[in-house]
Amino acid sequence: MSEQRSVFSSILQNAGLLTAGKIITACCGFVYIAFTVRTIGLSDYGFLILIHSLALMGSRLSRLQSWRTLIHFGSNAFHEKQYTFLRKVVSFSIRLDVISAFAALLISLMGAQIYTVFAHWPFKIWALATLYACVSFLMYTGWCVGVFRLTRKFYIVTVKDSLLALLQMIGVLIGYFFKLKLAYFLMVWAGIVICDFVVSVTTAVVILNTYFPFHFLHAFRNWKWALPDMWKFTKNTSVSQTLYAISNNIAMLIVGGILGPADVAVYRVCRQIANGIVTPAQLTAPVIYPELVKLRDDRDWDGLRKVITQIFLSLISISAVLLLLSIFAGNHIFAYLVHTKSIHSTSYILIMLSSAIFDLLMVPVEPLLMVSGYTKVLVRNRTVIIAIYFPLLYLMTVEFGLNGACLSTAFSNLLALIVCAAWLPRVFRK
């Protein structure tokens, strides 16, 4: 029992560190969103969101979950100080990220060309979207995330994200005071991506060198090395996470294509408010997986079940409080961010918060299924839900506008939760 409490306490402590950084990031985010909208207007802010979503879609569509592979196969080696083997696992994860980066660049460039035709964007916006798509090459550093989580250096993520958010806010405020245009704000967003990549890679290499000699370029010496089932595990977890991650970006592009940049800006802001409200609770997700892998390696299935139950009950309690918060504060936050009032904003935010809560309750479910060997179940479920979600989103948006877009998003997240939770009794019988 004491070990289970220790694991639960460790999860809460590490989540607390990440929450501190996210609070700073959220505060900066509210400021730079508000001043961006005030400077370039709601319509151009919609273009900024759509252009960023195109690049991010390419990155997320191509991501191989290298951080999960690193922890899954390297956790035991790290704790047993088998650093020669761990170096090989880290190198394999780096190679996965390089493959992801080139695929992201190709997908983002192609996506920008296709979507600008579909949305009838003018030449200037097409040019900006094409240039920004090149940043997708640097948007993912999964192996760095794996190193931070494996070595329990969660404070690094907090410091890094906080400093980058402050830098982005400063960049936006400069744009506000000098009344700069959309191109400048895209440059600020791109600069943050580049800084994030450089800081993450540099820090991860420094951390590894405190345990064993490691050089980044040495990762490319042996492309053929891989453990049995390593590619299979990476493929299954990557497909599941990719389907989940791209659904948000593609949803944004579908809504923008149907309703235009101004409405997609409203949709995005409401979604961001909802996600911001649940962010502190969602930050248990990054710290759960390493702890569950350790319990799995120790064959402590009873401890695994009890830790998951504790987390799940805690999240249900938090969800009830968050719903009340959205009812009383959601409309005021929306008015501050977009500098205008909307009689429908409270309902949009309430629906999107419900959607975020359904997603929140998946936090303990998904990693449990992964460490229990049910990655194929996740892939199958995500595929079916995505196949339902996109047509439903399109039809509901065409018929009911933003209300339809919000409702279809909430429904898809609820369906994902129900389908995945149905497998929990089988996992708990282990």
Side-chain angles (χ1 to χ4, degrees):
M1 179 62 72
S2 60
E3 184 178 350
Q4 293 149 19
R5 286 178 181 168
S6 175
V7 171
F8 188 63
S9 299
S10 177
I11 289 172
L12 292 181
Q13 182 181 0
N14 290 327
L17 281 172
L18 293 177
T19 300
K22 283 297 181 181
I23 289 172
I24 297 173
T25 304
C27 291
C28 294
F30 284 140
V31 172
Y32 67 65
I33 289 172
F35 280 93
T36 301
V37 174
R38 284 170 170 78
T39 308
I40 62 177
L42 197 59
S43 181
D44 271 2
Y45 178 69
F47 278 126
L48 187 151
I49 293 302
L50 291 170
I51 290 170
H52 180 70
S53 293
L54 281 169
L56 195 58
M57 182 192 68
S59 175
R60 288 181 169 171
L61 190 62
S62 64
R63 287 180 183 180
L64 297 169
Q65 292 294 303
S66 53
W67 75 269
R68 292 184 186 274
T69 301
L70 196 158
I71 292 175
H72 190 87
F73 292 94
S75 178
N76 190 58
F78 175 74
H79 292 295
E80 298 294 329
K81 298 184 179 180
Q82 299 171 359
Y83 294 138
T84 300
F85 177 80
L86 181 59
R87 185 187 291 109
K88 294 180 179 179
V89 176
V90 172
S91 297
F92 180 83
S93 299
I94 291 174
R95 295 194 294 271
L96 290 177
D97 279 5
V98 170
I99 295 170
S100 298
F102 280 105
L105 180 61
L106 180 62
I107 294 169
S108 296
L109 286 171
M110 291 176 59
Q113 312 315 306
I114 295 169
Y115 189 79
T116 50
V117 173
F118 165 73
H120 305 289
W121 284 356
F123 175 80
K124 177 185 175 183
I125 303 298
W126 166 83
L128 291 173
T130 301
L131 286 172
Y132 192 83
C134 298
V135 184
S136 63
F137 186 83
L138 304 177
M139 280 185 169
Y140 183 56
T141 51
W143 76 272
C144 301
V145 173
V147 170
F148 300 153
R149 293 175 184 173
L150 184 67
T151 57
R152 304 295 194 271
K153 299 287 194 302
F154 291 95
Y155 68 90
I156 290 175
V157 177
T158 299
V159 173
K160 175 177 68 70
D161 289 350
S162 300
L163 290 176
L164 290 174
L166 285 169
L167 185 62
Q168 188 167 7
M169 184 182 72
I170 292 169
V172 166
L173 290 175
I174 291 171
Y176 171 76
F177 286 119
F178 289 97
K179 305 300 179 186
L180 299 175
K181 302 298 182 183
L182 174 62
Y184 169 79
F185 287 89
L186 281 170
M187 184 178 70
V188 171
W189 260 248
I192 295 302
V193 172
I194 295 168
C195 288
D196 191 8
F197 178 85
V198 172
V199 171
S200 296
V201 171
T202 303
T203 307
V205 170
V206 170
I207 289 172
L208 289 176
N209 273 283
T210 63
Y211 296 97
F212 55 86
F214 184 82
H215 299 283
F216 181 79
L217 294 178
H218 291 176
F220 305 101
R221 286 180 172 177
N222 187 6
W223 281 81
K224 294 182 178 180
W225 184 89
L227 293 173
D229 294 330
M230 210 169 189
W231 277 107
K232 181 181 178 181
F233 173 84
T234 303
K235 181 193 71 175
N236 287 337
T237 55
S238 297
V239 171
S240 173
Q241 290 299 303
T242 296
L243 290 172
Y244 167 73
I246 66 166
S247 62
N248 294 338
N249 293 98
I250 293 179
M252 207 78 65
L253 296 172
I254 290 173
V255 174
I258 296 170
L259 301 179
D263 278 342
V264 81
V266 173
Y267 176 77
R268 162 69 171 169
V269 168
C270 290
R271 188 168 202 158
Q272 189 155 348
I273 291 170
N275 289 338
I277 291 172
V278 302
T279 288
Q282 280 181 326
L283 289 174
T284 54
V287 300
I288 284 175
Y289 192 76
E291 300 293 349
L292 295 188
V293 169
K294 192 172 185 303
L295 288 171
R296 180 210 61 192
D297 290 342
D298 295 339
R299 313 299 294 176
D300 186 3
W301 298 108
D302 184 58
L304 199 68
R305 286 192 292 270
K306 290 181 178 178
V307 168
I308 289 295
T309 302
Q310 285 178 305
I311 295 170
F312 200 74
L313 292 175
S314 300
L315 293 178
I316 290 175
S317 302
I318 292 169
S319 300
V321 177
L322 295 177
L323 283 172
L324 290 174
L325 177 63
S326 73
I327 293 172
F328 292 107
N331 193 43
H332 300 291
I333 299 172
F334 178 87
Y336 170 76
L337 288 178
V338 301
H339 203 46
T340 186
K341 291 185 177 180
S342 170
I343 58 173
H344 301 295
S345 60
T346 300
S347 63
Y348 295 153
I349 293 168
L350 188 59
I351 295 169
M352 294 306 285
L353 180 60
S354 300
S355 175
I357 286 173
F358 298 144
D359 196 32
L360 175 65
L361 295 176
M362 278 287 288
V363 164
V365 175
E366 194 168 57
L368 178 62
L369 291 177
M370 284 185 179
V371 300
S372 303
Y374 290 95
T375 51
K376 285 186 177 180
V377 171
L378 288 171
V379 173
R380 185 176 67 240
N381 290 348
R382 289 290 184 194
T383 304
V384 172
I385 290 164
I386 289 294
I388 295 171
Y389 174 49
F390 289 145
L392 179 66
L393 175 66
Y394 180 84
L395 294 173
M396 291 284 284
T397 304
V398 169
E399 189 66 27
F400 303 107
L402 281 178
N403 261 323
C406 294
L407 285 169
S408 57
T409 301
F411 173 77
S412 70
N413 281 351
L414 174 60
L415 185 61
L417 176 63
I418 292 171
V419 172
C420 290
W423 286 83
L424 291 183
R426 186 175 300 189
V427 173
F428 285 162
R429 283 197 296 267
K430 275 196 172 188

